[in-house]
Structure formats: structure tokens, C-alpha cells
């Protein structure tokens, strides 16, 4: 019993109100009435597009491709292969011959020999046989002669500077300038600082510290009082602002947000969901109806147009075509094949006759090949002496004895 109480009624889905269930069917009917023409137009346009694509666009595209290949691509390929490529190769060869080979020859046979034998070889010889010995000699002169002389001269000049300049200056600094500065300036200044300035400074600092402590205590008490008053005033202002903010937020949530949320959740969401579902269902139903109408129109067209054409093709065109194929085309094709074979045989015979006549004319003009006799068969293997068998690899020879053979019997 408890389970039956909590089950939803069968008129609407679980979680939906009775209002949604009541408005669902009328909304779907209205949407179906509005969507059905659009779906039928859409299906008709789709079928027309597929038919046009199969009947018109694909053959037209193939014809355009054939025309493009025949009129544009094939001539361009021929032009590129037999005109532009030879011209390009000739232009490249001419450019290499005119622009590159002269510079290569100039570099290889003029610049390189001149640079090698006119500049590099003399420079190497000059460096190896003139500059290197000269540099070695100058280095020996500088190391053995000039360096000791310069060393002694530098030592003498340094001794003179030390004796004449540095020692007198050290004496004046140590025994004149330092005592005068120490006892005439530093000692009186230190005594004045320790005996006069330091006692006066300590007294002044004590007086100022005493006055500062009293003033600081007074200012600190005044600042603490002012800070407490300002803090209490700020706390009151903050509490008042929080109260006003909470009140305004409660009013906004109660009078504006809550009604909008309730309207969106209980009115706009179900209505929008039902309208979307109604459009989906109406689109499917309109598709079923549109396909049914299309099948009906296709059946009518078949019985009015397709069936008569099919009957005429099977009953009239097919027998006529078979008769023409068997009675006209097949004999004509066999006759053409026989004529072609006869023509090819005649051409082969004519070619062989012309070839034999040309060979005979050449033999009559230049004579027979050496070692061959007229009337003797050619290409037959000769027999070996004392045997009746033939050896294919043996050279052909006459079976009559040679005139110069001393062992030949006289018959």
C-alpha cells in the first residue's frame, strides 16, 4: 500500500507537475502543424539535391574534368615535355657556357696561377730566405747587446733618482712635516675635544632627554584617548553598515531573487523543456509523414512512368538489341577480325619478301661471305673424321679433301 501511494501517476513522468502533463499534448500538436511543412520542404530539397547530384552534377563534373584534361592539361604537359624542357636545358647550357665557364677558366688558369706563382711563391721565398734570417739577427742583437745596455742604463738612472730625489723627500717628511703636524695641530684639537666639547655635549644631552621624556608622556596619553574615541566611533559605524547591508540583502533576496528563481525553476524550465521535446517529437513525426508521402509519390511515379519504360525495355529494346548484336554486330566483328588477320599476314609476307630481296641484292653486290659455297646448306653441323655422329660445337668444314693435303688419296 505504501509503495502504491508513492508511485507517480501514469499520465506524466516522475518529478513533473500536472500542468506540464496537461499542456504537453496541445503544444506537441501545434508544433507538429508548424514543423510538418518545413520538414516536407526539407526532405523534398534533399531528394532533389541527391537526384541532381546523381543525374546532372556528377556527369557534368566528369565532362568538365575530361575537357580540362583534354584541352588544358594534356597540351600543357606536351608543351612542358617537348618545348619548355628542351628550351630550358638549352638555356641552362648556354647560361653555363656564357656566364660560368669563362669565370671558371679565369679562376683556374689566370687568377690561381698568378696568385700562386706571382704572389704566394715569392712571398714564401722572401719570408724563408730574407725575413727569417733578418729577424734572427735582430733578435740576437737585441738579446746580446741592447738588453744588457738598457739594463745597466736603467739601474744607473734609478740610483740617481733615489739619491737625488727620494732620500731628501723621505728626510723632510719624517723629521719636519710629521712633528709639525702632530704637535702643532693634532694635539691641540684632541685636547679641545676632550676637555671642552665633550662635557658641554653631555650636559646638553641630559637636559634634552629630561624635557623629551615629559613631553612624550603627555603626547602619549593624548594619543591613547583620541585612538579609543575613534575606535569606538568606527565600531558603531561598522555595526550600522553591517545591519543595513543585511537588511538590503534580505530585501533583495526576498523580493527579487526568490521570485526570479521560482519563475525560472517552475515555469520557464518546464516550458522550455516541453517546447524542445515537442520540436524533437514533431520533427521525427514529420519525417515519418514526409517519407510516407515521398514513398507514395515514388510508387505513383513508378506505376505511371517507370513500369511502362521497364516493360518497353524488356519487351522491345532487349530483343532488338540481341538481334542486332547476334545478326549484325557479331558477323561484322568477325569479318573485321578476319580482314585484320589477313592484312597482317599480307604485310608480314611483304616485309619478308622485301627483306629477302634486299639481302639477295646486297649479296649480289658485295659477294657471298668467305668460306661459303653456292648451293651448300648453311647452319648444318659438320661430321667428325671417323664418325657418323655430328658435333654441334664443331666448326663447319667441307668433306672433300683439301688440295694441299699430302695424305689425301688420289682417286
Amino acid at each position: 500500500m505504501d509503495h502504491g501511494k508513492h508511485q507517480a501517476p501514469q499520465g506524466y513522468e516522475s518529478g513533473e507537475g500536472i500542468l506540464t502533463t496537461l499542456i504537453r499534448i496541445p503544444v506537441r500538436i501545434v508544433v507538429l502543424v508548424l514543423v510538418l511543412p518545413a520538414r516536407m520542404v526539407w526532405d523534398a530539397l534533399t531528394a532533389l539535391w541527391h537526384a541532381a547530384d546523381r543525374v546532372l552534377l556528377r556527369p557534368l563534373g566528369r565532362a568538365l574534368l575530361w575537357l580540362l584534361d583534354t584541352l588544358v592539361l594534356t597540351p600543357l604537359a606536351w608543351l612542358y615535355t617537348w618545348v619548355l624542357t628542351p628550351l630550358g636545358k638549352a638555356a641552362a647550357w648556354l647560361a653555363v657556357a656564357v656566364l660560368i665557364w669563362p669565370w671558371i677558366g679565369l679562376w683556374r688558369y689566370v687568377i690561381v696561377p698568378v696568385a700562386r706563382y706571382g704572389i704566394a711563391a715569392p712571398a714564401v721565398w722572401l719570408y724563408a730566405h730574407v725575413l727569417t734570417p733578418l729577424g734572427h739577427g735582430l733578435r740576437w742583437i737585441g738579446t746580446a747587446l741592447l738588453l744588457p745596455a738598457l739594463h745597466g742604463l736603467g739601474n744607473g738612472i734609478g740610483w740617481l733618482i733615489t739619491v737625488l730625489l727620494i732620500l731628501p723627500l723621505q728626510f723632510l717628511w719624517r723629521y719636519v712635516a710629521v712633528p709639525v703636524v702632530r704637535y702643532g695641530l693634532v694635539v691641540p684639537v684632541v685636547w679641545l675635544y676632550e676637555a671642552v666639547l665633550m662635557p658641554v655635549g653631555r650636559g646638553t644631552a641630559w637636559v634634552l632627554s629630561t624635557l623629551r621624556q615629559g613631553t612624550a608622556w603627555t603626547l602619549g596619553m593624548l594619543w591613547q584617548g583620541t585612538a579609543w574615541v575613534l575606535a569606538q566611533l568606527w565600531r558603531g559605524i561598522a555595526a550600522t553598515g553591517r545591519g543595513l547591508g543585511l537588511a538590503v540583502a534580505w530585501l533583495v533576496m526576498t523580493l527579487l531573487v526568490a521570485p526570479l528563481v521560482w519563475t525560472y525553476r517552475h515555469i520557464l524550465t518546464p516550458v522550455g523543456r516541453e517546447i524542445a521535446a515537442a520540436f524533437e517529437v514533431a520533427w521525427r513525426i514529420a519525417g515519418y509523414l514526409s517519407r510516407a508521402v515521398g514513398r507514395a509519390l515514388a510508387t505513383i511515379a513508378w506505376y505511371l512512368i517507370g513500369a511502362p519504360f521497364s516493360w518497353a525495355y524488356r519487351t522491345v529494346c532487349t530483343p532488338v538489341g540481341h538481334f542486332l548484336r547476334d545478326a549484325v554486330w557479331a558477323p561484322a566483328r568477325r569479318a573485321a577480325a578476319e580482314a585484320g588477320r589477313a592484312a597482317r599476314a599480307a604485310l608480314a609476307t611483304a616485309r619478308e619478301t622485301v627483306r629477302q630481296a634486299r639481302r639477295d641484292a646486297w649479296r649480289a653486290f658485295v659477294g657471298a661471305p668467305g668460306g661459303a659455297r653456292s648451293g651448300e646448306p648453311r647452319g648444318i653441323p659438320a661430321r667428325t673424321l671417323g664418325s657418323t655422329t655430328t658435333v654441334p660445337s664443331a666448326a663447319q668444314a667441307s668433306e672433300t679433301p683439301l688440295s694441299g693435303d699430302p695424305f689425301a688419296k688420289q682417286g
Side-chain angles (χ1 to χ4, degrees), residues 95-276:
V96 170
V98 174
L99 300 178
I100 297 178
W101 287 349
W103 293 104
I104 293 176
L106 180 65
W107 171 262
R108 184 176 296 173
Y109 300 107
V110 178
I111 296 176
V112 171
V114 168
R116 177 179 295 176
Y117 300 106
I119 299 175
V124 170
W125 182 87
L126 181 65
Y127 176 79
H129 296 85
V130 177
L131 296 179
T132 300
L134 182 62
H136 291 171
L138 292 177
R139 183 181 64 180
W140 180 83
I141 292 172
T143 304
L145 300 178
L146 294 179
L147 189 62
L150 292 176
H151 185 68
L153 182 62
N155 290 335
I157 293 172
W159 181 82
L160 290 176
I161 291 173
T162 302
V163 172
L164 297 179
L165 183 61
I166 295 176
L167 292 178
L169 290 177
Q170 288 181 354
F171 178 80
L172 289 176
W173 172 258
R174 183 176 298 175
Y175 298 105
V176 178
V178 171
V180 170
V181 172
R182 177 181 295 175
Y183 298 105
L185 182 61
V186 175
V187 173
V189 170
V190 170
W191 179 84
L192 179 63
Y193 176 75
E194 293 179 351
V196 179
L197 296 178
M198 287 185 65
V200 173
R202 289 194 182 97
T204 304
W206 181 80
V207 172
L208 290 176
S209 63
T210 304
L211 293 176
R212 186 178 61 185
Q213 289 177 1
T215 307
W217 182 81
T218 304
L219 292 175
M221 293 299 293
L222 181 60
W223 173 253
Q224 290 179 1
T226 305
W228 183 82
V229 172
L230 292 176
Q232 297 301 323
L233 181 60
W234 175 252
R235 289 192 184 94
I237 294 172
T240 304
R242 282 196 297 272
L244 291 175
L246 292 174
V248 172
W250 181 83
L251 289 175
V252 170
M253 291 296 295
T254 304
L255 299 178
L256 183 61
V257 177
L260 290 177
V261 170
W262 184 88
T263 302
Y264 175 78
R265 185 175 298 171
H266 295 87
I267 296 176
L268 297 179
T269 300
V271 170
R273 186 169 57 246
E274 290 302 323
I275 291 174

